[in-house]
Amino acid sequence: MVIIPAGGSGSRFGGPVPKQFSLLDGVPLLHHTLRIFDAHPRIFKIYPVLSALPEDLGLAWPFSSTRVQPLACAGPTRAQTVLNALQSLQSLHPPDTWVLVHDAARPCLSRAALDRLIQTLQDDPVGGLLAIPLSDTLKRQNDHDCVATTLDRTGLWAAQTPQMFRLGSLLEALRAHPAATDESSALEGMGLEPRLVMGEITNLKVTWPADLILAQAILEVCHAHRSGI
């Protein structure tokens, strides 16, 4: 199953509606993200987690599918949102159920990357996440907005989503580490070692308004590739 935290206000993004309801190619950003998973034959349930049901937010629900079931239990942080969702779902799904957690604002996840994650981790005892090795030189800032030092990027990866773990272990980890910034770090806090699975640079997270332009370009290129144009 898939959990998509979608309860944020998108304060850095700005705009008249929450970021996940901003239009991308004429439809809400969240629509594109939901469509990725709804089109996959191995995904049986998709739970976008909102602060309230769309009708209560005065927004039109962007997607219609029997596999998509919105939950209105988002918390103040990503970790709390995912934890709330897991707690509400634990009676419906066995603890060994694989859970994929994906950012609502990553609309360009490819089928190839999703397949690679599922196939790599399906027999893994812990689980893991999509990520890409860092290629840029990293600088640490000092108090005067100057460079304090240059960091060694050897072995450093940028985490992406989806992140894929068993329901029971993820629930335990998030309860123990409520300040975790992603699911992997919660599992790491339990002494476990999530597996790194090669992601893609096109798996963009929309953070700023300009990112919508990049996302649009990525989606257009992917559509042209699938169409053989």
Side-chain angles (χ1 to χ4, degrees):
M1 68 175 176
V2 179
I3 290 176
I4 301 176
S9 62
S11 56
R12 285 181 294 176
F13 185 84
V17 297
K19 176 175 62 177
Q20 58 273 25
F21 288 94
S22 297
L23 295 185
L24 173 59
D25 196 23
V27 296
L29 176 63
L30 182 57
H31 172 99
H32 296 275
T33 304
L34 292 170
R35 183 168 57 187
I36 296 165
F37 297 100
D38 190 56
H40 199 285
R42 297 186 64 179
I43 303 298
F44 62 91
K45 208 68 179 177
I46 306 157
Y47 298 102
V49 190
L50 310 169
S51 57
L53 293 177
E55 56 267 28
D56 296 329
L57 295 171
L59 299 167
W61 180 239
F63 201 80
S64 177
S65 170
T66 57
R67 289 196 282 183
V68 176
Q69 180 180 332
L71 301 175
C73 60
T77 65
R78 176 198 176 92
Q80 189 63 56
T81 293
V82 177
L83 178 58
N84 290 350
L86 292 174
Q87 290 179 151
S88 69
L89 296 169
Q90 62 179 324
S91 63
L92 303 177
H93 303 283
D96 63 348
T97 301
W98 281 114
V99 178
L100 285 79
V101 183
H102 187 64
D103 297 323
R106 286 189 192 268
C108 302
L109 173 68
S110 72
R111 169 64 74 87
L114 181 55
D115 283 342
R116 184 163 56 250
L117 180 75
I118 294 173
Q119 292 167 7
T120 302
L121 299 179
Q122 60 187 351
D123 297 318
D124 194 274
V126 176
L129 65 153
L130 289 179
I132 54 174
L134 291 180
S135 57
D136 293 326
T137 298
L138 300 179
K139 305 290 186 180
R140 186 183 299 280
Q141 168 190 333
N142 64 17
D143 294 337
H144 308 291
D145 293 332
C146 296
V147 175
T149 185
T150 298
L151 304 177
D152 182 4
R153 66 174 182 239
T154 303
L156 294 181
W157 291 58
Q160 297 184 337
T161 66
Q163 303 195 4
M164 177 172 161
F165 301 101
R166 301 281 187 182
L167 188 156
S169 59
L170 182 55
L171 184 60
E172 179 184 4
L174 288 172
R175 282 172 172 164
H177 300 281
T181 55
D182 70 351
E183 294 68 47
S184 178
S185 59
L187 272 292
E188 294 160 35
M190 302 293 286
L192 300 174
E193 297 181 347
R195 183 174 297 276
L196 292 164
V197 179
M198 182 62 70
E200 296 173 343
I201 196 170
T202 52
N203 188 15
L204 169 75
K205 183 178 181 181
V206 173
T207 304
W208 309 103
D211 293 334
L212 285 175
I213 300 173
L214 295 176
Q216 177 73 47
I218 292 168
L219 292 175
E220 288 176 355
V221 169
C222 291
H223 176 74
H225 177 74
R226 289 193 299 268
S227 302
I229 298 174

